[in-house]
Amino acid sequence: IIDIGTPEHSVVTTCAYCGVGCTFKAEMRGDELVRMLPYKDGKANRGHSCIKGRFAYGYAHHKDRITKPMIREKITDPWREVSWEEAIQHTASEFKRIQAKYGKDSVGGITSSRCTNEETFLVQKLIRAGFGNNNVDTCARVCHSPTGYGLKTTYGTSAGTQDFDSVEQSDVILIIGANPTDGHPVFGSRMKKRLREGAKLIIADPRRIDLVRSPHIEADFHLPLKPGTNVALVTSLAHVIVTEGLADEQFIRERCDWDEFQDWAAFVADPRHSPEAVEKVTGVPAEQVRGAARLYATGGNGAIYYGLGVTEHSQGSTTVMAIANLAMLTGNIGREGVGVNPLRGQNNVQGSCDMGSFPHELPGYRHVSNTHAREEFEKAWGRPLDHEPGLRIPNMIDAALDGSFKGLYIQGEDILQSDPNTQHMAAGLAAMECVVVQDLFLVETANYAHVFLPGSTFLEKNGTFTNAERRIQRVRKVMAPINGYEDWEITQLLSNALGFPMHYDHPSQIMDEIARLTPTFEGVSYEKLDELGSVQWPCNEAAPDGTPVMHMDHFVRGKGKFVITEYVATDEKTGPRFPLLLTTGRILSQYNVGAQTRRTANVVWHEEDRLEIHPHDAENRGVRDGDWVKIASRAGETTLRALITERVAPGVVYTTFHHPTTQVNVVTTEFSDWATNCPEYKVTAVQVAPSNGP
Ligand code: SF4
């Protein structure tokens, strides 16, 4: 028990770790944060929290925090501390020099799903209006970009359909490629409560996640599909529902495009999509698939929750659309207890996408070729905007290697550790002339940076985050930024130095601009957020207090669109050299690349990445529990300790990506989603062999 004494005052703010968006009271004594207390009135958490939000804030004062700007001529030079004035002027002159020499499209930027909506909005504004191109992308590229594509295509909006409360009305919960008790612990607990009350549970996951069997909960069906076969499995679920007459025809006739549905129904009814026909592909017994399909279609309110096990595949967008088809097919959309719900990883991944972080979309998901939308922004910002989509992160790296992309401004994202194919990423970064990293620590990407701008933590800034249920919540400053500036102020300084002036005094003014320019945010203001606690977009004249459940009377796009989802096997194949399939994920106590959780002195943060391997595969290789093993793919190799477990099936191995010492992304490949380039982290053919250690 730690005696924290009596806090003198508290500030209500939002957790900066995951897409659940728990509200906390940050309790203070003077300028010292003494406790994070889950806030009972928090709409997303109702007084609950997990260990990360509750305890993992120590990184804010960690000795590794960089508090002074630094520059260097070459990435092999030592860093030199400089004043903010010098750092900003140097950065601006470098970007100007590069654009003058190589053209306006030779530079770009990356926004962060860890930063606020206001900060993200400013970075994309700087790129579009200041740099004059659309070379802006976000770390959502590597997680939920297929959600954006898939749900926009089928339903008309790039977001989940429900609020978290909705799960309390669900009768059947179908989880595909998500691990809520580790990835989204507070919402995972709400889900467990509903399951203990009697809701049925179907899990499609190659791995036996905790929810398959935990105290008082046992999944009715666990479909342990082979990594990379989601589309085949979900289409076979649809096959059963269509061919056994379990579809909700009235809903489809009223709410969806009937002609498209008929074409789609003929496609899924083809015997080649039957569970028996695809059993060899998915590895899931046909009877299990039939049983799960019948349960989802006839068990009452059916809700689908999915995660990165769906999106991070070469067919990520196809799977999202296959899932959307399934919900429309059964009428499980547009009311409480049902829907299609992507479980967002980072605290503001929804917000970073909403704010126009993609190279083809302005804020509010309007395509850059949309003249009317572009004119609104041009009028507000006083600059002509490019109508051609810009470069995605992988395209920026490829262009750097081709010599046409030379300067990159990265706010709060460690692309070297978190993106796939580390060697390729490193070569691309090394080929640039000015890489600017704005972050808390000297993260791995900073090894390739020429300028380091120290960023601020969520405790040191004002703004908003948008969680997985589209809930916009206030982030309130608890302490002064130890670097001197909030992140949005740094972007503003840079923009001013580049000759595109910005004049905000407070992030509330940025939100006012967002509301003026983004129809789904029209009614959002700090006053409203302070009054209501939070709002879920769309928030506008039609829904002044926000929208908990979407698509209630009609889909945002009008009629729901059934999309034909043909299964195409990934190009990543196992064979004699690489006979096992590696898939990756996360654990509860660590957060993404671990930059924050590894720097918090507390109980369990220092767990290492382990390789889960089935006893059969371990025995074949002479590997014992805890042994060092080398894992190799055609992209690279790394070393970590083995954890022998039946959580993974024979032929499948699994690990996390939290530690830079492991750098598991040196083995992941260059393959990515056909529509969005979201990397295929979930399928890598590998070999595992005993090792003497790193
Ligand atoms: Fe923070 Fe997510 Fe944990 Fe809530 S569940 S405390 S938002 S990490």
Side-chain angles (χ1 to χ4, degrees):
I1 297 173
I2 302 165
D3 180 10
I4 61 162
T6 310
E8 290 165 354
H9 67 283
S10 63
V11 181
V12 175
T13 191
T14 304
C15 180
Y17 274 120
C18 90
V20 177
C22 296
T23 308
F24 281 87
K25 267 167 99 172
E27 294 189 333
M28 309 290 296
R29 194 168 43 235
D31 287 338
E32 187 194 358
L33 173 64
V34 292
R35 185 165 67 170
M36 290 288 278
L37 201 62
Y39 188 47
K40 68 178 171 37
D41 293 332
K43 297 261 175 60
N45 59 319
R46 299 178 177 178
H48 296 278
S49 74
C50 80
I51 51 172
K52 293 194 290 290
R54 183 92 160 81
F55 299 115
Y57 53 83
Y59 68 90
H61 288 292
H62 195 275
K63 63 177 176 41
D64 290 352
R65 274 287 298 272
I66 305 295
T67 57
K68 299 264 191 324
M70 302 187 295
I71 62 176
R72 56 185 176 183
E73 295 307 312
K74 299 197 293 289
I75 59 173
T76 48
D77 290 344
W79 285 110
R80 180 166 65 86
E81 278 188 8
V82 294
S83 67
W84 273 105
E85 170 70 16
E86 184 176 347
I88 293 294
Q89 289 305 330
H90 172 79
T91 306
S93 75
E94 276 297 277
F95 280 130
K96 282 183 189 167
R97 177 187 67 77
I98 289 170
Q99 284 194 297
K101 185 170 176 188
Y102 300 101
K104 78 174 174 54
D105 295 334
S106 58
V107 297
I110 298 174
T111 72
S112 173
S113 297
R114 296 198 323 238
C115 288
T116 64
N117 286 318
E118 294 77 0
E119 288 161 348
T120 306
F121 181 85
L122 278 209
V123 172
Q124 64 86 37
K125 177 174 176 176
L126 165 68
I127 306 299
R128 296 190 201 285
F131 286 168
N133 64 47
N134 288 314
N135 292 337
V136 59
D137 207 358
T138 169
C139 47
R141 170 71 50 213
V142 300
C143 64
H144 269 288
S145 50
T147 289
Y149 181 92
L151 293 185
K152 185 158 191 194
T153 303
T154 49
Y155 297 167
T157 191
S158 302
T161 63
Q162 311 294 122
D163 61 353
F164 290 151
D165 291 352
S166 173
V167 76
E168 291 170 13
Q169 310 299 323
S170 299
D171 301 308
V172 180
I173 295 172
L174 168 53
I175 301 173
I176 309 179
N179 187 4
T181 54
D182 272 72
H184 305 83
V186 166
F187 180 65
S189 295
R190 284 183 81 172
M191 201 179 248
K192 281 167 95 169
K193 178 170 173 285
R194 183 63 193 145
L195 292 166
R196 283 195 294 268
E197 289 167 354
K200 303 290 185 189
L201 177 62
I202 304 164
I203 295 174
D205 199 298
R207 198 164 157 260
R208 194 160 48 77
I209 60 171
D210 284 344
L211 278 175
V212 172
R213 183 175 293 164
S214 55
H216 310 294
I217 294 170
E218 178 144 13
D220 296 85
F221 294 96
H222 175 216
L223 313 177
L225 74 170
K226 281 185 198 156
T229 63
N230 285 326
V231 172
L233 179 71
V234 179
T235 305
S236 71
L237 290 168
H239 171 94
V240 176
I241 294 166
V242 167
T243 55
E244 296 190 8
L246 305 178
D248 185 340
E249 188 176 321
Q250 186 185 346
F251 178 91
I252 299 164
R253 281 189 183 277
E254 288 173 3
R255 299 286 306 275
C256 306
D257 186 306
W258 181 251
D259 291 340
E260 280 173 351
F261 166 71
Q262 286 182 308
D263 291 345
W264 175 83
F267 163 76
V268 297
D270 191 296
R272 71 194 168 95
H273 298 304
S274 73
E276 292 74 16
V278 299
E279 187 173 326
K280 271 211 177 87
V281 174
T282 63
V284 183
E287 266 320 297
Q288 293 286 303
V289 178
R290 287 196 177 272
R294 290 168 191 148
L295 176 59
Y296 173 68
T298 65
N301 284 342
I304 302 176
Y305 294 88
Y306 72 85
L308 304 183
V310 159
T311 55
E312 291 177 342
H313 288 276
S314 57
Q315 283 202 291
S317 293
T318 314
T319 312
V320 172
M321 293 188 288
I323 288 170
N325 290 339
L326 207 58
M328 289 189 289
L329 177 65
T330 51
N332 276 316
I333 200 89
R335 62 179 190 281
E336 293 225 321
V338 299
V340 174
N341 305 286
L343 292 173
R344 304 285 190 153
Q346 300 201 61
N347 52 313
N348 199 37
V349 63
Q350 180 67 58
S352 78
C353 300
D354 300 341
M355 292 299 103
S357 291
F358 288 129
H360 65 294
E361 283 175 335
L362 295 160
Y365 302 103
R366 284 160 297 164
H367 202 275
V368 292
S369 63
N370 177 334
T371 306
H372 176 68
R374 221 176 43 252
E375 281 173 358
E376 277 181 47
F377 285 90
E378 287 173 340
K379 197 167 154 209
W381 295 346
R383 290 284 175 101
L385 300 184
D386 200 335
H387 65 280
E388 294 281 353
L391 299 174
R392 298 169 174 175
I393 295 170
N395 307 136
M396 292 179 195
I397 300 305
D398 290 344
L401 290 167
D402 288 349
S404 60
F405 190 85
K406 295 287 185 182
L408 184 58
Y409 172 40
I410 308 170
Q411 186 183 71
E413 167 68 350
D414 189 4
I415 51 175
L416 187 65
Q417 193 181 337
S418 60
D419 285 38
N421 204 341
T422 307
Q423 305 85 320
H424 183 72
M425 177 63 73
L429 288 167
M432 296 184 203
E433 294 182 7
C434 183
V435 174
V436 181
V437 168
Q438 183 173 322
D439 215 313
L440 304 175
F441 307 105
L442 279 172
V443 293
E444 297 300 300
T445 308
N447 290 325
Y448 292 85
H450 305 84
V451 178
F452 188 90
L453 303 176
S456 48
T457 70
F458 79 111
L459 297 167
E460 300 160 50
K461 60 176 73 164
N462 282 300
T464 55
F465 294 150
T466 306
N467 78 353
E469 47 169 359
R470 294 169 280 103
R471 187 181 298 284
I472 306 158
Q473 307 192 96
R474 276 298 315 275
V475 178
R476 294 183 179 87
K477 195 192 271 194
V478 169
M479 57 182 75
I482 63 175
N483 61 346
Y485 290 107
E486 299 178 35
D487 284 295
W488 66 269
E489 292 177 294
I490 300 167
T491 307
Q492 175 162 279
L493 286 171
L494 183 57
S495 191
N496 289 340
L498 279 161
F500 177 59
M502 295 183 183
H503 304 291
Y504 306 100
D505 296 319
H506 191 272
S508 62
Q509 296 166 347
I510 306 173
M511 178 53 79
D512 292 343
E513 183 173 321
I514 294 167
R516 281 197 299 277
L517 291 169
T518 313
T520 44
F521 275 63
E522 200 178 276
V524 182
S525 67
Y526 279 27
E527 291 74 31
K528 177 164 280 182
L529 294 173
D530 289 343
E531 184 195 330
L532 299 181
S534 63
V535 291
Q536 289 167 274
W537 67 259
C539 173
N540 47 31
E541 206 178 341
D545 292 343
T547 310
V549 176
M550 294 195 77
H551 315 295
M552 292 192 79
D553 302 318
H554 54 82
F555 286 97
V556 169
R557 73 181 299 281
K559 294 284 189 187
K561 181 179 179 65
F562 280 88
V563 176
I564 288 178
T565 54
E566 190 73 68
Y567 167 66
V568 180
T570 171
D571 287 337
E572 181 69 359
K573 312 276 188 223
T574 54
R577 214 169 137 219
F578 303 115
L580 303 172
L581 278 181
L582 169 73
T583 187
T584 61
R586 63 181 66 174
I587 54 173
L588 190 154
S589 60
Q590 290 288 350
Y591 182 70
N592 282 7
V593 298
Q596 295 143 283
T597 44
R598 284 185 289 103
R599 290 187 173 92
T600 291
N602 222 314
V603 283
V604 293
W605 308 118
H606 295 289
E607 290 178 39
E608 58 188 335
D609 295 319
R610 292 266 186 135
L611 185 78
E612 292 187 3
I613 183 167
H614 190 272
H616 177 73
D617 293 324
E619 191 184 343
N620 279 348
R621 289 163 175 75
V623 171
R624 291 160 307 171
D625 197 48
D627 279 357
W628 286 105
V629 289
K630 184 177 84 176
I631 177 165
S633 73
R634 62 182 170 77
E637 60 184 52
T638 187
T639 308
L640 67 175
R641 288 187 190 276
L643 175 66
I644 298 177
T645 172
E646 291 186 359
R647 285 169 75 95
V648 288
V652 176
V653 289
Y654 166 89
T655 190
T656 51
F657 56 95
H658 302 303
H659 290 265
T661 44
T662 312
Q663 282 268 26
V664 74
N665 282 321
V666 300
V667 302
T668 50
T669 70
E670 74 282 13
F671 294 136
S672 65
D673 175 43
W674 63 272
T676 66
N677 280 137
C678 182
E680 190 166 54
Y681 292 112
K682 301 296 185 187
V683 192
T684 307
V686 295
Q687 178 58 291
V688 173
S691 158
N692 293 327

